[in-house]
Amino acid sequence: MLNLSGKNALVTGIANNRSIAWGIAQQLHAAGANIGVTYLPDDKGRSEKKVAELVEPLQPSLFLPCNVQDEDQVTDLFETIQAKWGQLDILIHCLAFASKDSLVGDFSTVSRQDFAVAMEVSAYSLISLSRAAKPLMTQGGSILTLTYLGGVRVVPNYNTMGIAKAALEMNVRYLAAEMGPHNIRVNAISAGPIRTLASSAIGGILDMIHHVEKFAPLRRTVTQLEVGNTAAFLCSDLASGMTGQILYVDAGYETIGATIAAE
Ligand code: 0WE
């Protein structure tokens, strides 16, 4: 059944114990995968230390810096993977950033620079990591990214990130088309709102979570580990026939068309 033993999985985007990427890393590890972890380096090495302590129980065989805005770091990362692992099977992309200014107020006020940065970090990075991963996925592979409903429908304040997620979802389809002949599958999970470092920085996230708890078919939000389980499935041979897909792990919220009680 679900078995990732013998597979090398690189997980990006772990910031702390609430990160969806951390839920994914735990479930890939539980399914037997060999784990590699990247972290976003900062001047004081704080995030390196924090992430290193967190992931210690998974005994990652690689632990490397990766700031996707620096193409040299991407090159170095995959050179090290090539040298240490030889082969990569699974790439997990859980990276996004938009300035605080661009996640509040009138959508049209976003600056050219803030828009460009959001697109670079949140959408282009999937292309650059996939390009670098492709030659290492010699036995086929699975690439997975995270998206959000705000990339296909208007969610208040998601604003610039919504445009970046729309681009990211289209990246998934074009990359799936390019990589399919190499038996590399590319998919995305569209997760419902979860309290994480990224989402907690947003005003009103708790109201959004309460809204989902009230109206989603399952009457609750989802957990990082539930997203992790779907990630493990998508990266396993159980999903060998799936590519270019966006799977909603959102307690069914995406299906809802009105929030007026039927009773
Ligand atoms: O994709 C996201 C959040 C990504 C994100 C979060 C931040 C906060 C801090 C990207 N950039 C930044 N930049 C910062 O400075 N989500 C799906 C979570 C999220 O973000 C929202 C949401 C939800 C849900 C923003 C507005 C409305 C809803």
Side-chain angles (χ1 to χ4, degrees), residues 149-246:
L149 185 61
V152 290
R153 297 220 275 268
V154 173
V155 171
N157 294 327
Y158 201 60
N159 295 10
T160 303
M161 269 309 302
I163 283 67
K165 290 302 194 190
L168 180 75
E169 292 187 16
M170 214 56 222
N171 282 343
V172 166
R173 300 185 183 96
Y174 276 95
L175 288 168
E178 174 186 330
M179 309 251 173
H182 303 274
N183 197 30
I184 300 169
R185 300 180 296 104
V186 187
N187 294 290
I189 291 175
S190 187
I194 297 178
R195 280 180 77 172
T196 65
L197 185 64
S199 75
S200 300
I202 284 134
I205 189 72
L206 269 182
D207 292 337
M208 292 205 44
I209 286 171
H210 291 142
H211 176 82
V212 168
E213 287 169 347
K214 205 163 165 196
F215 295 108
L218 296 179
R219 299 288 190 270
R220 61 178 181 85
T221 53
V222 294
T223 67
Q224 290 86 336
L225 290 175
E226 288 181 302
V227 176
N229 278 329
T230 302
F233 159 71
L234 277 173
C235 294
S236 78
D237 295 339
L238 295 182
S240 57
M242 299 175 68
T243 194
Q245 300 303 303
I246 317 291

